[in-house]
Amino acid sequence: MPFRKEPPFAHGILPSSAIVLVNLGTPDEPTSRAVRRYLKQFLSDPRVVEVPAFIWWCILHLVILPFRSGKSAAKYRTIWTREGSPLKVHTQKQAVLLEKTLAERGHEGVKVVMAMRYGSPSLRDVLARLQAEHCQRIVVLPAYPQYSGTTTASVWDAVFAHYAGVRNVPELRLVRHYHDHEAYIEALRIQVEAYWEANGRGDKLVMSFHGTPKRTLMLGDPYFCECHKTARLLAVALGMGADEYIVTFQSRFGKAEWLQPYTAQTVQDLARQGLARIDMICPGFTSDCLETLEEINMEVRQDFEAAGGKEYHYIPCLNEAPAWITGLAEIAEQHLIGWPTILTPAQRAAQKRDAQVGAQHAAQLGA
């Protein structure tokens, strides 16, 4: 395979580091055409759908894309904002705030950029842009707290596929997960307690995570266990007993068995059992998106109320909460260790002198 053309080499450039904050993705517009394009890329990923390629191609192109694109577009329109897709808007704001926070903590020149696994800005384009800017060290930080082959590993696939065609590969560090990171759990605790202080507390806290086929668990994917560990740690931080919260899984697709219990069925059962109020949070999502704003806060709310529930409270995702931006910075710092992102004034001056001498020497040699 031929390697892509490298950007022109430039002497005297100081070493630079970057963090790529990667989220799942979103359509560019809430239209059938844009959603179809997004779904095609998303559902064509063998990490997402483990079905024989030819069989799945027929199902995807003859059934799902023609019939689901319009329905999904209508759902996206219910949550679309003037700024655009909530997931993309929140992820971009997180990237900006993370870069600012790292700078305030002494990390000079660490760029933070947003990328999407599916849709735009694509991870491939973002990595190529950093290559053109001569970035020498990159941390890839997925927006997925819990590891799954369907999400995190798919990001790795895209990273490795990109650099398979690059001659001058930068130093890479990949953040696998942070489902039990103290700063992440603390940010969730603060988010829940702030909501309770303003709105009171329900009879049960439902922690809904995105579902995956049960088959993935049986084949060794740790996602199910990491979701439960997140929930247990959050419950402990909130001082909750085992009977005061429940873990559920949402967004089931197709007829196969997925991770259980299912969120929609669970809230209906809770309503029929006489629980007047439940509080809902989605700890696996760091940014509000279609699955939280439309599915959880609209569809599942209707399921609860239709079954006799009285009060349904959705606790927003972490989004740009100050505690979460601080948490992101702490997670990022752990993966920046050993890189020259914090230098004394003397070290910075010496680094600049070395770069200048290198450029002068190259000029003398005609390089």
Side-chain angles (χ1 to χ4, degrees):
M1 181 183 70
F3 295 108
R4 289 185 286 276
K5 184 178 180 181
E6 292 290 328
F9 183 78
H11 293 279
I13 294 179
L14 295 176
S16 61
S17 304
I19 296 171
V20 181
L21 183 62
V22 187
N23 216 325
L24 184 76
T26 179
D28 293 324
E29 299 174 322
T31 63
S32 296
R33 178 176 294 182
V35 170
R36 182 186 181 108
R37 184 168 58 249
Y38 167 72
L39 288 178
K40 181 180 178 181
Q41 183 185 13
F42 174 44
L43 296 177
S44 294
D45 187 341
R47 288 282 190 182
V48 175
V49 181
E50 295 184 58
V51 174
F54 176 73
I55 295 174
W56 181 244
W57 188 96
C58 295
I59 296 173
L60 178 62
H61 289 268
L62 301 179
V63 179
I64 295 176
L65 294 179
F67 295 100
R68 190 176 179 184
S69 299
K71 294 179 180 179
S72 293
K75 292 182 178 182
Y76 273 107
R77 284 193 289 272
T78 66
I79 64 156
W80 213 260
T81 71
R82 290 185 177 182
E83 295 177 279
S85 166
L87 179 140
K88 191 171 184 178
V89 170
H90 287 305
T91 307
Q92 178 59 45
K93 290 180 178 179
Q94 288 170 350
V96 171
L97 291 170
L98 175 57
E99 182 175 302
K100 179 181 178 182
T101 300
L102 288 172
E104 291 171 348
R105 294 166 78 105
H107 297 274
E108 297 185 38
V110 177
K111 177 179 293 188
V112 181
V113 293
M114 172 192 72
M116 295 293 165
R117 176 60 184 90
Y118 316 103
S120 63
S122 73
L123 181 55
R124 180 182 62 184
D125 290 345
V126 169
L127 294 176
R129 187 169 75 245
L130 291 174
Q131 188 86 3
E133 296 171 358
H134 303 282
C135 184
Q136 299 177 16
R137 296 177 295 263
I138 297 174
V139 174
V140 180
L141 174 56
Y144 319 128
Q146 298 78 24
Y147 173 92
S148 173
T150 62
T151 53
T152 315
S154 179
V155 171
W156 299 167
D157 289 345
V159 171
F160 299 147
H162 171 77
Y163 286 115
V166 171
R167 188 181 303 278
N168 186 14
V169 178
E171 184 175 355
L172 292 170
R173 292 180 180 177
L174 313 176
V175 182
R176 174 181 166 87
H177 55 192
Y178 42 90
H179 65 291
D180 57 355
H181 195 285
E182 183 177 350
Y184 162 64
I185 300 299
E186 177 66 5
L188 288 172
R189 180 194 68 79
I190 292 173
Q191 186 81 348
V192 174
E193 290 189 343
Y195 186 89
W196 281 347
E197 184 176 353
N199 302 279
R201 179 169 171 172
D203 303 310
K204 182 85 74 172
L205 179 63
V206 181
M207 304 186 195
S208 180
F209 294 83
H210 199 289
T212 63
K214 183 180 179 180
R215 178 174 178 271
T216 62
L217 171 62
M218 298 297 100
L219 291 175
D221 194 301
Y223 176 72
F224 179 81
C225 300
E226 293 194 2
C227 290
H228 275 275
K229 187 172 184 180
T230 294
R232 176 174 57 82
L233 292 175
L234 176 56
V236 170
L238 292 168
M240 302 183 75
D243 60 338
E244 296 180 277
Y245 75 96
I246 187 170
V247 176
T248 65
F249 295 90
Q250 65 184 85
S251 307
R252 180 187 177 193
F253 176 71
K255 296 182 179 180
E257 182 180 0
W258 281 41
L259 298 179
Q260 294 193 42
Y262 300 136
T263 300
Q265 183 62 54
T266 299
V267 302
Q268 291 173 334
D269 292 342
L270 292 175
R272 295 186 183 111
Q273 292 166 14
L275 268 71
R277 168 177 166 171
I278 63 171
D279 298 332
M280 176 73 69
I281 189 171
C282 300
F285 297 88
T286 54
S287 297
D288 272 310
C289 56
L290 183 73
E291 287 79 5
T292 64
L293 298 174
E294 195 279 333
E295 181 182 359
I296 293 299
N297 200 27
M298 296 182 189
E299 292 184 19
V300 176
R301 176 189 296 275
Q302 292 174 358
D303 291 333
F304 180 70
E305 294 174 349
K310 303 301 181 184
E311 287 189 62
Y312 181 98
H313 288 251
Y314 170 65
I315 302 173
C317 290
L318 293 172
N319 296 323
E320 299 86 56
W324 174 230
I325 301 303
T326 299
L328 267 178
E330 292 183 15
I331 293 168
E333 282 179 325
Q334 291 182 353
H335 295 269
L336 291 170
I337 290 176
W339 286 355
T341 61
I342 298 181
L343 300 177
T344 65
Q347 289 173 322
R348 178 63 64 185
Q351 189 182 68
K352 289 182 179 179
R353 285 196 301 270
D354 290 343
Q356 291 170 352
V357 169
Q360 292 169 359
H361 183 63
Q364 292 171 358
L365 295 176

